[in-house]
Amino acid sequence: MMLQTAISGPSLLASRSAHRLNPLLLSTRRRCVGVSRRRLCSSRVRFFAVAAASDNGVFTSPEIAKNFDFASEERIYNWWEAQGYFKPHFDRGTDPFVVSMPPPNVTGSLHMGHAMFVTLEDIMVRYHRMKGRPTLWVPGTDHAGIATQLVVERMLASEGIKRVDLSRDEFTKRVWEWKEKYGGTITKQIKRLGASCDWSRERFTLDEQLSRAVVEAFVRLHDKGLIYQGSYMVNWSPNLQTAVSDLEVEYSEEPGTLYHIKYRVAGGSRDDYLTIATTRPETLFGDVAVAVNPKDDRYAKYIGRQAIVPMTYGRHVPIISDKYVDMEFGTGVLKISPGHDHNDYLLARKLGLPILNVMNKDGTLNEVAGLFCGLDRFEARKKLWSDLEETGLAVKKEPHTSRVPRSQRGGEIIEPLVSKQWFVSMEPLAEKALQAVEKGQLTIVPERFEKIYNHWLSNIKDWCISRQLWWGHRIPVWYIAGEDSEEVYVVARNADEALQKAQEQYGKNVEIYQDPDVLDTWFSSALWPFSTLGWPDVSAEDFNRFYPTTMLETGHDILFFWVARMVMMGIEFTGTVPFSYVYLHGLIRDSQGRKMSKTLGNVIDPIDTIGEFGTDALRFTLALGTAGQDLNLSTERLTANKAFTNKLWNAGKFVLQNLPNQSDISAWEAISAYKFDREEALLRLPLPECWVVSKLHLLIDAVTASYDKFFFGDVGRETYDFFWGDFADWYIETSKARLYHKGSHSIASVAQAVLLYVFDNILRLLHPFMPFVTEELWQALPNRKEALMVSPWPRTSLPRQIHSIKKYENLQTLTRAIRNARAEYSVEPVKRISASIVASSDVIDYISKEKEVIALLSRLDLDHVHFTESPPGDANQSVHLVAGEGLEAYLPLADMVDISAELQRLSKRLSKMQTEYDGLVSRLNSPKFVEKAPEDVVRGVREKAEEAKEKITLTKNRLAFLQSTVLVSE
């Protein structure tokens, strides 16, 4: 392999010939090529060997490529991973920083929500890695019980196979085959985003070790009496044939019908009846009471009597009163169907009412519904209403918009149903999770979500953890064969242990069979932070090395369903809160603030976005949001941040092109002599250099503080503003006065040293946000001994000169004023004009030293820039600019414009403007126009008239000034 030699510090790699060879460090063997070893040793310069970019094929020099090539991102990523940079290093002697990736579904493909959490977590991880902490980001995927089973069932259906046609083992075998073939898609896409995870630790929730952790958790909770079996209200999915969690139910406002039905009062006349209004009349077969509000005078006389449930052959139910009933909704009369409504269920339990179930698991009505038995719930609704109309019990039906629960997976309407399931008692677990936040053991960012967290845990319900699926963690419960009741069972870690327990309790000849249900996916996910680190299998020493984790980052929409449960489980099984911080991000919405959906056609694909704008632009855009707030994503934002990437690239190109030639050893020694970490060294710098270095040091402190507070939006904006506004727009332009100076080399060397120092630090600060372009540029700079991602974070509390900042700001204000005057008078960009700068002696003392800079930035004639403490003699024939207190400038008008020609041009322009203005005023003075034209049209004409009037005034002032100048000159 071809090797090339470079110097440390600002090294020989910065030469124009070396620029085309982007270095990648391979060894530290000392080797001198074409230069005296004695000479190099005397200047205390070290050597290291590097490989040419053309050989390593990873990096591209900015001098070769016009823009950063997105195609190189995967090569850079693979190089990082091959070098082992994603793995933690324990020799650093500081507390580890650990993040548990919220495991995406194995069935999934990347969407913007994933892109958001991957970006934010990678920012955290890269920052703390550069801060020198042993950093671990644990990746993995979730088996996603319902979603995965659905995908495979659909695949089988395309082959003409139903799940029930296969045995459980055959079906799960097909699922594993699908997972091995397609399950890695999202992992590859997460890598494409630059995620610096330790992939050697990648976990899957059905891995053997994690599965043991799940079983162990179940057994321990059951042994403590915290897991029980019972029949309670759940969200039932008839198509999936399983209970689903609250998180898997999505509510939408949908048009429907409100049915008004007569319930006759038993023992009364034909006029004694109550009219109820319901959106689900088919559930009336499960009515156990009719309720009214005790304050509702309309129905007071019926309280305590009996109502006859329609179409049930005269079944009676009590008429009761309860303040829960809303007098304003419908008719103010509520049918109580506790077997099919969550609120009715709670009310029935409070009042001691019976539970009556009228529905089968497949969504058809059962024998309780009499003649409607076997009908689908929606078919039954139509037939029931028809029968009610025939019997005179149908009052009316009217359009009604209601909140409809639908399955997140299948899209069907969820049926509230009482079903026998396994539950976790949550109150004992929730109490400790509440205390964790109260005691400061857990910090939630942003803080306002603490109230929501506390409210949910303070009003928590028991958790249904069983699912009627075949894919997932099988519930570790074994029943005794031949027993009529399923109350007889054993809980064990495996079948052998279960059999042993059963034999000890029920005799040697006992036979057992395992519960067919699986655990809710969220149950295993709740164990994620510590099960991925080896609990309960690893030694305490190995486990405690990384536990508790430092950070959990996730969307605020699953704060309760996942985050709170992880906290509870972590405290229960390890005695410690599983993480120190929870950072919650918002949703990604489209440019109009709408939630992204396929229905609206506004979904933005991250992979497509990367192809068009680059990973860095996407990451930077996503990271500029505020914690907990939704982010509107637009093409305009992505385009702007792609331009930022290019600006960074071009700045790097400028820095590289203006470093000394490889053979100019003395120039490199001069650059190496500049130090920026000492106060006295900073004071010796010229004003622009002192300004930009001071501003950089202030930025480092501000950005580091923002990183530590998780204010990533502030980090991005502050760094962006400094790079583009201060460094690129001002210092790079200022440096040209040094770099292109024909005098001493020392004038150029200070600019070269500052350019290199500031740009180096900008790349470090931006790397967590924009890892690819910053790494590419970093490798092109001199003396890159390692990857940027493992280089040290910039030091904080470095010296800064506030007085120098204010002085340079005066120079900036002066420059802006001159530039504005040139633009106002349409001075050709290439034309150099004269200027007299008037200031007090102390201001002139430092401003005059930067004469070349001012002339360059303001496009002044260097030979005709004068500094004085009083106005020049031709002040009356000059444009007077006030740049600030005690700082003014006079620009000779004759230098900027042909006065006679300008007078003619402005006079013609004024005449035209006056004509246009008079026309607008005439329209506004016309009653016919004002009264008949649309309001917005009239308003538009009025605004145009006001704008035209302002322009006329400005033009008249300009003409008066020019005419006075002519008079003075005459």
Side-chain angles (χ1 to χ4, degrees):
M1 178 177 289
M2 182 179 73
L3 295 178
Q4 181 166 321
T5 304
I7 314 179
S8 72
S11 77
L12 297 181
L13 283 172
S15 70
R16 286 176 175 78
S17 59
H19 288 164
R20 309 189 188 286
L21 303 175
N22 197 332
L24 172 64
L25 177 67
L26 293 182
S27 73
T28 55
R29 189 181 70 167
R30 295 174 180 268
R31 178 169 177 257
C32 297
V33 179
V35 183
S36 165
R37 176 181 289 275
R38 180 176 300 174
R39 181 177 180 184
L40 288 173
C41 292
S42 66
S43 60
R44 297 181 181 179
V45 181
R46 298 171 309 174
F47 284 85
F48 63 89
V50 296
S54 57
D55 288 345
N56 63 56
V58 177
F59 299 101
T60 303
S61 170
E63 285 203 330
I64 295 174
K66 181 179 179 182
N67 297 308
F68 176 58
D69 184 6
F70 307 149
S72 65
E73 292 175 349
E74 292 187 75
R75 295 198 303 273
I76 295 171
Y77 187 90
N78 293 336
W79 178 74
W80 283 329
E81 189 173 9
Q83 299 300 309
Y85 292 141
F86 298 161
K87 297 181 179 181
H89 297 281
F90 300 105
D91 56 353
R92 298 187 175 183
T94 59
D95 292 335
F97 181 83
V98 185
V99 178
S100 290
M101 175 184 289
N105 289 353
V106 70
T107 59
S109 59
L110 201 70
H111 57 63
M112 279 300 173
H114 296 127
M116 170 68 92
F117 90 68
V118 170
T119 294
L120 292 174
E121 290 187 17
D122 198 46
I123 285 173
M124 298 176 195
V125 167
R126 288 179 183 270
Y127 167 68
H128 285 282
R129 186 184 287 119
M130 293 177 75
K131 290 279 283 186
R133 298 178 68 177
T135 304
L136 172 62
W137 186 6
V138 183
T141 49
D142 191 286
H143 64 277
I146 293 176
T148 306
Q149 184 157 317
L150 266 177
V151 168
V152 176
E153 284 193 38
R154 287 169 182 162
M155 180 189 72
L156 291 172
S158 67
E159 302 173 15
I161 302 173
K162 295 182 179 179
R163 172 170 62 97
V164 293
D165 295 337
L166 304 174
S167 68
R168 184 177 192 134
D169 288 343
E170 289 172 334
F171 178 77
T172 53
K173 180 182 177 182
R174 294 291 296 266
V175 181
W176 277 109
E177 289 172 353
W178 179 92
K179 187 264 181 186
E180 294 304 315
K181 187 173 182 180
Y182 301 106
T185 298
I186 196 163
T187 296
K188 295 174 184 175
Q189 292 174 330
I190 286 174
K191 290 184 176 183
R192 190 68 185 84
L193 277 165
S196 55
C197 306
D198 183 354
W199 293 104
S200 67
R201 296 174 183 261
E202 184 178 5
R203 297 293 182 263
F204 178 54
T205 47
L206 290 184
D207 285 349
E208 183 179 351
Q209 188 275 316
L210 272 69
S211 297
R212 284 199 302 273
V214 170
V215 171
E216 183 68 25
F218 187 99
V219 171
R220 292 191 189 187
L221 289 173
H222 185 271
D223 288 348
K224 290 185 68 172
L226 294 176
I227 285 183
Y228 64 93
Q229 189 180 45
S231 295
Y232 297 92
M233 178 69 69
V234 296
N235 301 308
W236 185 261
S237 173
N239 286 349
L240 297 172
Q241 288 284 286
T242 181
V244 295
S245 73
D246 292 340
L247 187 62
E248 291 159 336
V249 178
E250 294 181 340
Y251 291 87
S252 60
E253 297 292 325
E254 299 181 17
T257 303
L258 193 61
Y259 300 88
H260 294 251
I261 304 171
K262 286 182 182 181
Y263 278 54
R264 298 195 186 279
V265 178
S269 67
R270 293 183 63 84
D271 294 331
D272 288 319
Y273 62 86
L274 298 172
T275 300
I276 63 96
T278 179
T279 58
R280 300 163 66 215
E282 69 278 5
T283 62
L284 65 77
F285 297 108
D287 290 353
V288 297
V290 171
V292 298
N293 192 293
K295 295 182 180 180
D296 197 332
D297 294 336
R298 294 174 295 175
Y299 309 117
K301 63 182 179 180
Y302 296 127
I303 297 173
R305 298 179 67 175
Q306 298 278 314
I308 303 172
V309 181
M311 312 305 294
T312 61
Y313 303 103
R315 184 164 66 85
H316 290 27
V317 296
I319 300 172
I320 63 175
S321 65
D322 195 278
K323 62 182 181 180
Y324 164 75
V325 180
D326 183 357
M327 292 189 292
E328 303 301 322
F329 177 76
T331 62
V333 183
L334 180 70
K335 59 188 286 298
I336 308 297
S337 311
H340 301 280
D341 183 273
H342 286 284
N343 294 322
D344 290 3
Y345 177 77
L346 295 174
L347 184 61
R349 293 189 66 182
K350 182 182 78 170
L351 300 176
L353 296 171
I355 309 295
L356 192 58
N357 177 31
V358 303
M359 202 165 294
N360 297 313
K361 295 294 181 65
D362 62 357
T364 60
L365 271 59
N366 62 25
E367 63 278 359
V368 175
L371 295 176
F372 294 84
C373 177
L375 290 178
D376 174 77
R377 50 185 168 160
F378 302 117
E379 292 177 5
R381 181 180 301 176
K382 293 178 183 178
K383 185 178 188 314
L384 175 61
W385 183 251
S386 176
D387 290 356
L388 288 169
E389 287 180 319
E390 288 182 9
T391 57
L393 296 177
V395 178
K396 65 175 180 177
K397 62 178 181 179
E398 57 187 3
H400 176 74
T401 300
S402 58
R403 194 163 174 258
V404 178
R406 289 189 177 273
S407 168
Q408 186 186 61
R409 303 302 175 191
E412 66 169 329
I413 294 177
I414 290 297
E415 189 65 41
L417 202 65
V418 173
S419 176
K420 193 172 186 178
Q421 304 285 343
W422 289 95
F423 294 85
V424 177
S425 297
M426 300 302 285
E427 283 190 19
L429 302 173
E431 184 177 352
K432 295 178 182 178
L434 282 165
Q435 292 175 359
V437 172
E438 183 181 337
K439 294 178 180 179
Q441 298 168 332
L442 174 65
T443 301
I444 298 176
V445 181
E447 186 179 359
R448 69 177 185 277
F449 282 101
E450 284 186 10
K451 292 182 179 179
I452 302 172
Y453 173 91
N454 291 337
H455 175 77
W456 187 74
L457 286 176
S458 299
N459 299 276
I460 198 166
K461 299 176 183 177
D462 286 354
W463 176 14
C464 175
I465 57 170
S466 50
R467 298 290 180 265
Q468 290 64 54
L469 303 171
W470 283 358
W471 173 248
H473 290 112
R474 190 90 171 263
I475 289 179
V477 170
W478 282 261
Y479 300 103
I480 309 304
E483 292 286 340
D484 293 334
S485 173
E486 288 191 345
E487 300 298 323
V488 182
Y489 62 83
V490 295
V491 175
R493 291 169 178 81
N494 52 57
D496 291 340
E497 182 181 319
L499 182 59
Q500 181 181 345
K501 284 185 175 183
Q503 289 174 339
E504 290 172 357
Q505 296 180 48
Y506 304 105
K508 291 294 183 181
N509 297 323
V510 70
E511 293 184 8
I512 60 175
Y513 62 94
Q514 189 171 358
D515 193 307
D517 288 354
V518 300
L519 287 163
D520 178 13
T521 301
W522 293 104
F523 186 87
S524 57
S525 296
L527 310 177
W528 183 255
F530 45 95
S531 63
T532 54
L533 298 177
W535 181 89
D537 295 344
V538 298
S539 67
E541 180 182 358
D542 288 342
F543 181 68
N544 292 330
R545 179 179 292 176
F546 282 120
Y547 189 84
T549 57
T550 310
M551 173 62 58
L552 174 80
E553 186 278 335
T554 187
H556 63 70
D557 53 333
I558 56 173
L559 173 63
F560 329 114
F561 304 105
W562 187 47
V563 177
R565 287 168 176 169
M566 282 191 287
V567 175
M568 289 186 276
M569 293 294 196
I571 296 173
E572 174 65 22
F573 296 120
T574 69
T576 306
V577 180
F579 23 74
S580 305
Y581 295 91
V582 175
Y583 179 96
L584 301 168
H585 68 74
L587 295 174
I588 306 294
R589 299 183 179 273
D590 70 8
S591 59
Q592 300 176 43
R594 301 174 302 175
K595 190 174 181 179
M596 292 187 185
S597 71
K598 293 180 180 178
T599 303
L600 292 175
N602 61 347
V603 174
I604 302 176
D605 185 279
I607 300 301
D608 293 343
T609 304
I610 287 172
E612 184 176 356
F613 299 97
T615 303
D616 292 315
L618 174 60
R619 287 171 57 117
F620 194 79
T621 303
L622 295 176
L624 287 183
T626 302
Q629 298 293 331
D630 293 351
L631 175 71
N632 293 357
L633 185 63
S634 66
T635 301
E636 289 74 19
R637 286 189 176 190
L638 291 165
T639 301
N641 290 324
K642 180 181 179 182
F644 179 49
T645 306
N646 291 334
K647 187 78 171 180
L648 197 65
W649 185 261
N650 290 331
K653 184 177 295 188
F654 177 85
V655 172
L656 290 169
Q657 288 172 340
N658 287 282
L659 291 176
N661 189 279
Q662 177 177 352
S663 61
D664 196 344
I665 303 299
S666 62
W668 281 106
E669 290 174 347
I671 291 173
S672 300
Y674 285 100
K675 307 297 178 186
F676 305 102
D677 58 350
R678 296 192 301 271
E679 187 79 26
E680 59 274 16
L682 200 61
L683 286 170
R684 288 196 293 269
L685 291 174
L687 176 61
E689 283 68 30
C690 185
W691 164 78
V692 76
V693 171
S694 295
K695 291 273 285 192
L696 172 69
H697 291 171
L698 287 169
L699 175 73
I700 292 171
D701 286 358
V703 162
T704 302
S706 293
Y707 267 115
D708 289 337
K709 295 175 183 176
F710 313 111
F711 294 169
F712 302 122
D714 291 347
V715 171
R717 285 183 288 272
E718 289 166 358
T719 311
Y720 179 101
D721 291 343
F722 173 80
F723 165 73
W724 201 308
D726 292 333
F727 182 68
D729 284 357
W730 282 97
Y731 184 69
I732 281 183
E733 294 305 311
T734 296
S735 71
K736 293 174 182 178
R738 322 286 199 210
L739 298 170
Y740 307 153
H741 191 273
K742 296 180 181 179
S744 169
H745 287 304
S746 62
I747 295 176
S749 67
V750 66
Q752 291 166 334
V754 168
L755 283 169
L756 197 55
Y757 175 74
V758 176
F759 192 64
D760 172 290
N761 280 281
I762 287 171
L763 294 180
R764 294 174 194 254
L765 296 177
L766 278 174
H767 178 73
F769 278 68
M770 310 173 77
F772 293 107
V773 67
T774 53
E775 186 73 77
E776 186 93 282
L777 289 165
W778 172 270
Q779 294 294 334
L781 294 177
N783 192 29
R784 303 305 96 178
K785 296 189 293 181
E786 56 189 353
L788 172 57
M789 69 171 292
V790 292
S791 65
W793 187 254
R795 285 174 51 195
T796 55
S797 302
L798 291 168
R800 71 288 311 269
Q801 280 295 313
I802 303 302
H803 292 305
S804 294
I805 292 175
K806 291 181 179 178
K807 289 177 181 179
Y808 189 81
E809 286 174 350
N810 284 339
L811 187 151
Q812 287 177 302
T813 304
L814 174 65
T815 301
R816 290 191 188 99
I818 296 173
R819 287 174 174 176
N820 289 341
R822 291 178 62 103
E824 187 177 351
Y825 284 90
S826 303
V827 180
E828 291 292 330
V830 295
K831 186 174 184 179
R832 295 294 183 263
I833 61 176
S834 305
S836 293
I837 298 171
V838 180
S840 58
S841 59
D842 58 325
V843 175
I844 288 177
D845 182 56
Y846 67 81
I847 286 286
S848 61
K849 292 178 182 177
E850 301 304 332
K851 180 179 179 180
E852 289 189 34
V853 171
I854 295 171
L856 176 66
L857 297 178
S858 306
R859 296 190 292 279
L860 301 178
D861 184 344
L862 184 60
D863 295 332
H864 292 87
V865 177
H866 305 288
F867 298 90
T868 175
E869 294 183 39
S870 57
D874 61 351
N876 291 334
Q877 296 174 275
S878 301
V879 176
H880 179 210
L881 307 175
V882 178
E885 188 175 349
L887 181 60
E888 304 172 43
Y890 290 86
L891 309 180
L893 192 59
D895 272 16
M896 295 195 292
V897 66
D898 182 329
I899 297 177
S900 298
E902 185 67 4
L903 281 170
Q904 292 179 13
R905 188 184 71 83
L906 288 177
S907 296
K908 291 180 180 179
R909 182 181 175 189
L910 180 60
S911 176
K912 183 179 179 181
M913 291 168 62
Q914 188 67 51
T915 301
E916 292 175 352
Y917 173 71
D918 291 342
L920 293 169
V921 171
S922 176
R923 293 181 71 187
L924 292 172
N925 289 336
S926 169
K928 185 177 180 181
F929 169 73
V930 175
E931 292 172 4
K932 293 187 176 181
E935 183 180 346
D936 58 333
V937 173
V938 176
R939 184 171 58 251
V941 172
R942 187 171 288 114
E943 289 173 354
K944 287 181 180 179
E946 290 172 358
E947 184 180 349
K949 186 176 180 180
E950 290 178 8
K951 289 181 178 179
I952 287 172
T953 300
L954 290 173
T955 305
K956 285 180 176 179
N957 292 340
R958 177 76 63 81
L959 274 168
F961 173 67
L962 291 174
Q963 288 166 349
S964 67
T965 303
V966 172
L967 290 173
V968 170
S969 63
E970 291 176 350

